[in-house]
Amino acid sequence: MDGSGDIQAGQPLLEVEAATIQYESEAAVVVAIHQVSFSVRKGERFVILGRSGCGKSTLLKAIGGYLTPVEGRITLHGKPIGSAGPDRMVVWQDPDQLLPWKTVRQNVVYPLTLTGVSKAEANERADAFIAMVDLTRAADQYPHQLSGGMKMRVAVARGLAMKPAVLLMDEPFAALDALTRHRMQDELLRLQAETGATVVFVTHDIAEACKLATRILVLSPHPGQVKANLDVGRFASREALADAVGSLIHDAGARA
Amino acid sequence: MSGPEHFIVEKVEAPAGARILKPIPWWVQFKNNGMVRRVFVVLAIFLVWELAARQANSPLLLPSVGDTLKALVASFKAGDMGIVSYIGESLKSLLAGFVLGTIIAAILTVFAVNTRIGEDFLSTVTSAFAPLPAVAIFPLALMWFGISWTSVVFITTWATVFPVAVAMFQGFRGVSQTLRFVGRNFGLSGFRHTVSILIPAALPSIMTGLRSGISNAFRALVALEMVIGAATGAGGLGWFVMAEKQNLEIPTVFAGILAIMAVGLAFEGLFAVIEQRTVRRWGMLH
Ligand SMILES: Nc1ncnc2c1ncn2[C@@H]1O[C@H](COP(=O)(O)OP(=O)(O)O)[C@@H](O)[C@H]1O
Ligand SMILES: [Mg+2]
């Protein structure tokens, strides 16, 4: 991938500069995100945290290239992002994000072949990532035969197998039961460590944010603005982090 | 890692060495088989028909099942003059109109999906023509194309277009935003996005549309053939039935009606098989 070699771990990879994003309908203009800036470094697990309705999905869709900010800019490797593409693979909240007419393996192989990876290599890589999410035995199943958690794991495998510059995740575990959710969080930490992937992860769950993040961007609602940008490494413990984040979220909610 | 979601139950079979305590009686298994029940219904209808025919004892009004089946077999063996060539004629008119109608429906759908005026056009035209049986526009076809095969294909095309276009449009509309985004995430856009994501995702509706399109076209065709079959030289099953009625070959008339039903059922069966191997297998239709 061009330019990616120049970016060392720790250097800014993705930058959002004073982005304002709004929805326009005949009746009104809704400002969902107002003047938001932050940067994500290579190898980070960057969590965007905020109450529901505060613009997290909007921001993620803008990074993904599905929405265009009315002001500000978003750059990847120093270049303005284009329309949606495989350098920013997305794991959506909706479990039904796999192509129902393809098996688990085909779901992972297909986008790889679209980006010009040879059939043999695509198969090999798909099998490796399917093994990584522990779904080898389900590789020939169709999505409707899988549980919600399994579908999510396929979506994560599909995203990571593409080796994107950044993996975008929009509350991927919110629809799962608590036990499955905790296991998926552990698994994501393991996968991220194994692959060194850069992850931008959206959630409204404080505990989840504290567990997963190397950095937490706290958004306040109406319109979505940056309340705080926390380096997790500066906190003495996860408890201290959770306390700080908790009061920030509380403030953000109370002010709105 | 382990957990309940790792167990994938494909099929429940009796474990080795298991003893069956209470077998399901054969007649219960029979009762639960849809195909068996349908065959049973058909046999029952044949039985009632046979009894009624014997009671009426008037072969010109109601021939017996035996005579009808005999007539059917005889007509099958008659080669060029027999029912097979009439079935062929009907299929030709039907498929020509069905293919053409499906292409036109696809074009209408592309406009309806991509432009507001296209959508307005499709919804207005379909609701305006919905109450109109396809044969009702035959006088217009007659005016424009005369008594010809073109007129016949015009009607079967017409009968195909609207049911197919409506279902296709609804199918595309129903594709979730998530799947559309997934396609764009793969770098797909325009035509490739349509072919690789939208069409397969809309396939359940598309199949339903094709199914009702072909049966609508077939019904219109048979009615039309009864009116003009001989004149176009195209004949067809509708004409076969009418002609045999004029010849007072009543068992053959009944045989022809059975053949019309069989052709309709054959298409139903074909679509059922295609659905079983695609959308049902993929869990997109239950
Ligand atoms: N398609 C849309 N049209 C109009 N307003 C929208 C649309 N999507 C989201 N919004 C509004 O934008 C705000 C942010 O939404 P969203 O980004 O989905 O929040 P979150 O993901 O944090 O729950 C909300 O007030 C929501 O009502
Ligand atoms: Mg959201």
Side-chain angles (χ1 to χ4, degrees), chain B residues 65-81:
Chain B
V65 177
D67 287 349
T68 302
L69 293 182
K70 250 182 262 163
L72 189 60
V73 172
S75 195
F76 257 98
K77 286 184 178 159
D80 270 359
M81 301 301 294

Side-chain angles (χ1 to χ4, degrees), chain A residues 140-173:
Chain A
D140 295 315
Q141 306 268 333
Y142 285 96
H144 76 103
Q145 297 168 294
L146 309 180
S147 70
M150 293 164 92
K151 286 180 194 170
M152 275 303 166
R153 294 223 290 279
V154 180
V156 172
R158 174 176 74 183
L160 288 174
M162 296 288 282
K163 305 197 169 148
V166 54
L167 182 70
L168 308 175
M169 305 179 83
D170 189 356
E171 310 207 32
F173 310 144

Side-chain angles (χ1 to χ4, degrees), chain A residues 56-57 93 170-171 202:
Chain A
K56 305 180 297 295
S57 297
Q93 181 172 359
D170 189 356
E171 310 207 32
V202 160

Side-chain angles (χ1 to χ4, degrees), chain A residues 111-125:
Chain A
L112 284 168
T113 56
L114 286 178
T115 55
V117 175
S118 75
K119 194 86 195 166
E121 149 116 50
N123 275 313
E124 204 171 300
R125 219 198 279 178

Side-chain angles (χ1 to χ4, degrees), chain B residues 114-151:
Chain B
N114 291 307
T115 67
R116 218 164 49 177
I117 188 72
E119 182 185 346
D120 293 341
F121 175 80
L122 184 64
S123 60
T124 309
V125 163
T126 45
S127 47
F129 288 127
L132 200 64
V135 265
I137 60 149
F138 178 62
L140 302 182
L142 210 56
M143 241 161 51
W144 295 332
F145 308 111
I147 296 186
S148 63
W149 193 61
T150 311
S151 285

